[in-house]
Amino acid sequence: MRYPDGGGLTPEARAKRERIRLQAAGLFAAGVTPAQVARRLRVSSKSVYAWRRAWEAGGQAALLSKGPSGSDCRLDERQLDRLQQELDAGPAAHGWSEDQRWTLARVAVLIKELSGQSYTLRGVSYLLHRLGWSPQVPQRRAAERDEEAVATWIKEVWPLVEQRRGTRMRGSASKTRQANR
């Protein structure tokens, strides 16, 4: 499942889970058993036992959300805006004139030039997704493809292939009961 901030939960979902954990802390303080807490809050008993251990060790503060998971973006907002502008300018503006496609490798080189930060191809993919870019998969076609011959085949040969072949009679695989004719 993909999440909007590149991993983990949305801020609303994190806040909802935190409220449930804090409700559990209140129930722990009231002496309610973990099994009853799990039933009341409609969560797994495994989670409740983990919450109770954390609550006993650190109180309610131990049950607070620690924020989104994963590492922070290494580019600041100004660098992200600049990257977006350069991506919008296109690959030709950066010396890749043989084709007009941004590849992950090209974007990684661009990021290195703009910010001095090295990104892996997977990291570039995550960053582009965060910026709203989606991958484009090119159609695989043979370099020798003859479009005119393909069009002729579709127009002339394919209708012949599609035509029905005579009238067929239903047969039977049974040796004792033959099909009605």
Side-chain angles (χ1 to χ4, degrees):
M1 178 174 190
R2 300 214 179 248
Y3 298 101
D5 58 357
L9 299 170
T10 62
E12 296 82 22
R14 268 193 303 279
K16 179 182 175 187
R17 287 192 176 184
E18 183 178 87
R19 282 193 302 275
I20 292 171
R21 288 192 302 270
L22 294 178
Q23 284 177 336
L27 294 172
F28 296 149
V32 179
T33 66
Q36 291 172 330
V37 171
R39 270 193 301 280
R40 286 187 192 179
L41 299 179
R42 300 176 72 184
V43 295
S44 71
S45 58
K46 182 178 179 179
S47 293
V48 174
Y49 280 105
W51 296 344
R52 190 176 81 172
R53 279 192 306 275
W55 175 74
E56 288 172 345
Q60 277 195 340
L63 297 177
L64 295 176
S65 175
K66 292 167 183 60
S69 63
S71 59
D72 293 332
C73 182
R74 291 182 278 166
L75 302 179
D76 60 26
E77 288 302 316
R78 183 182 54 78
Q79 290 171 324
L80 288 172
D81 290 341
R82 173 96 191 278
L83 175 62
Q84 183 69 46
Q85 290 171 358
E86 298 300 327
L87 289 171
D88 289 338
H94 298 280
W96 292 292
S97 56
E98 62 273 4
D99 66 9
Q100 291 298 301
R101 287 180 260 171
W102 278 119
T103 63
L104 295 177
R106 288 178 178 180
V107 176
V109 168
L110 180 64
I111 292 171
K112 181 76 171 172
E113 289 174 359
L114 294 176
S115 67
Q117 295 286 336
S118 293
Y119 269 79
T120 63
L121 297 183
R122 189 67 191 137
V124 170
S125 176
Y126 283 131
L127 184 61
L128 289 175
H129 180 74
R130 179 179 170 199
L131 293 174
W133 289 69
S134 63
Q136 302 296 310
V137 180
Q139 285 186 332
R140 302 281 184 214
R141 291 200 172 160
E144 307 85 19
R145 182 178 167 115
D146 181 0
E147 291 295 335
E148 187 176 318
V150 170
T152 302
W153 188 89
I154 290 173
K155 190 166 87 178
E156 296 174 8
V157 177
W158 181 244
L160 298 174
V161 172
E162 271 191 324
Q163 283 180 352
R164 290 180 159 266
R165 300 189 186 209
T167 59
R168 294 183 183 176
M169 296 197 57
R170 289 181 58 193
S172 174
S174 172
K175 293 181 180 179
T176 57
R177 180 173 178 258
Q178 298 298 315
N180 295 334
R181 294 193 189 259

